[in-house]
Amino acid sequence: MRYIIIGAGAIGGTIGGRLHQSGHDVVLIARGAHYEALRTTGLRLVTPDVDETVKVPVADGPVDGDVLILATKSQDTLAALDPWPRHLPVVCAQNGVANERMALRRFEHVYGMCVYLPALHLEPGLVAAYGTPLSGALYVGRYPQGVDDLSETIAADLSKSAFAAQAVAEVMPWKYGKLLSNLGNAVEALCGRAPGINELSGQARAEGAAVLAAAGLAHQGGEQVATGDIEGIERGGGSSWQSLAKGSGSIEADYLNGEITLLGRLHGVPTPVNEVLQQEAVRAARERRQPGSMTVRELSSLIAERSSAVSR
């Protein structure tokens, strides 16, 4: 079976590189300087245990394959899927819970994948994966629910490729659980690792849990992934932090904190913390600010103002 990895960044590069290392047929889909580096030099996949450059086949557009693993940010989902044949199964290896529904509008066979995978991609051709001894924990299942032969095969292939992987019948509760854990991403991106970020992240998650309860949406926590240091490559931050660090001009806050904002409005639950985090993260990305451009005091003040406004 040939895996087509759409988006060969931190997540896609690690999944594709690990599958290739274990002997599976893989093509990475990339663009720009990253595509050129992968094409000419290969993928440098660095872990706490090994630094290896692997010559994974790479393309910058559609090629023949059996299954698409979509590993782009949520805001890029529709554009990334647009050129691909509609008969192919799509696995959404992404944060947030909106991607599967977007994909299902166009593709008949859609799978969700809940991803716990600490990795970094800031430099063309280089992906650093900090999980050890396994690179991550991955849960895959049909959308909206169910397990079939393909999801079992994907989980088995990943399990042989340095991942803890399971096929699960109810994948979306796993993804809602991951959504809650991702609500602090905007705090990290905006304030870096300043003292006080844990409290703000906790407020965002508590608000998110209340919204999911009001919406009747179950959520399930994931497996913790052990991490190690990589000499010469500081971990930095998560996916939203990396979006600002790369100056990409966009960030996935609309599909993380914005999902909680949306559900709160649908179910009558105020979400001032997540509203502010969504708004400020999107603003920082649009203005191409670097991570840590706000202080915790500034962000807390905006949240307090919004909280006061919605309580009137």
Side-chain angles (χ1 to χ4, degrees):
M1 181 163 68
R2 171 177 269 194
Y3 290 97
I4 307 297
I5 313 294
I6 304 174
I11 302 303
T14 304
I15 292 174
R18 285 303 208 182
L19 284 169
H20 178 83
Q21 286 175 325
S22 63
H24 295 286
D25 189 3
V26 176
V27 179
L28 301 177
I29 305 300
R31 60 185 180 179
H34 191 42
Y35 164 72
E36 292 297 334
L38 295 176
R39 183 180 64 84
T40 57
T41 306
L43 172 66
R44 184 183 171 201
L45 182 58
V46 188
T47 74
D49 309 302
V50 67
D51 183 341
E52 182 179 356
T53 298
V54 290
K55 290 293 290 184
V56 189
V58 61
D60 59 358
V63 294
D64 290 336
D66 299 300
V67 58
L68 306 175
I69 296 185
L70 182 62
T72 65
K73 297 292 195 299
S74 299
Q75 65 269 24
D76 300 321
T77 288
L78 291 179
L81 286 176
D82 191 57
W84 293 90
R86 300 301 192 251
H87 69 275
L88 291 175
V90 178
V91 181
C92 297
Q94 300 161 282
N95 288 333
V97 294
N99 300 290
E100 290 79 7
R101 184 177 175 88
M102 286 191 281
L104 198 62
R105 291 181 184 275
R106 302 186 181 190
F107 292 79
E108 181 179 359
H109 303 290
V110 175
Y111 297 75
M113 181 182 285
C114 180
V115 177
Y116 289 90
L117 201 169
L120 178 76
H121 167 61
L122 296 179
E123 179 183 328
L126 172 64
V127 169
Y130 293 87
T132 183
L134 299 178
S135 289
L138 308 173
Y139 304 86
V140 60
R142 285 191 65 92
Y143 178 77
Q145 69 268 324
V147 169
D148 60 8
D149 289 344
L150 181 58
S151 54
E152 293 277 13
T153 297
I154 293 169
D157 288 348
L158 291 167
S159 294
K160 297 172 185 175
S161 306
F163 295 104
Q166 297 180 39
V168 293
E170 298 288 342
V171 71
M172 294 314 292
W174 288 96
K175 298 205 72 167
Y176 276 104
K178 181 66 188 307
L179 171 65
L180 289 181
S181 73
N182 287 141
L183 295 179
N185 287 15
V187 180
E188 179 188 58
L190 291 166
C191 301
R193 294 179 175 174
I197 64 168
N198 290 338
E199 181 180 349
L200 287 180
S201 297
Q203 292 173 15
R205 291 176 185 129
E207 195 176 84
V211 166
L212 295 188
L217 293 166
H219 57 88
Q220 184 164 345
E223 183 174 333
Q224 294 297 311
V225 178
T227 61
D229 295 330
I230 296 177
E231 185 177 355
I233 307 177
E234 186 178 355
R235 188 171 171 188
S239 58
S240 297
W241 183 95
Q242 292 176 49
S243 291
L244 293 189
K246 288 188 286 189
S248 62
S250 68
I251 199 167
E252 59 187 342
D254 280 341
Y255 295 92
L256 301 178
N257 308 95
E259 186 71 31
I260 299 304
T261 300
L262 169 64
L263 289 171
R265 290 168 179 167
L266 288 173
H267 297 279
V269 179
T271 58
V273 178
N274 283 282
E275 284 182 32
V276 170
L277 293 180
Q278 176 189 3
Q279 173 183 301
E280 293 305 314
V282 169
R283 189 199 312 274
R286 184 175 62 246
E287 296 175 357
R288 286 181 164 78
R289 291 193 236 145
Q290 283 295 296
S293 63
M294 293 187 74
T295 67
V296 170
R297 176 176 292 184
E298 289 170 335
L299 190 54
S300 298
S301 177
L302 290 174
I303 290 171
E305 289 176 12
R306 182 58 186 154
S307 298
S308 176
V310 300
S311 65
R312 291 172 187 165

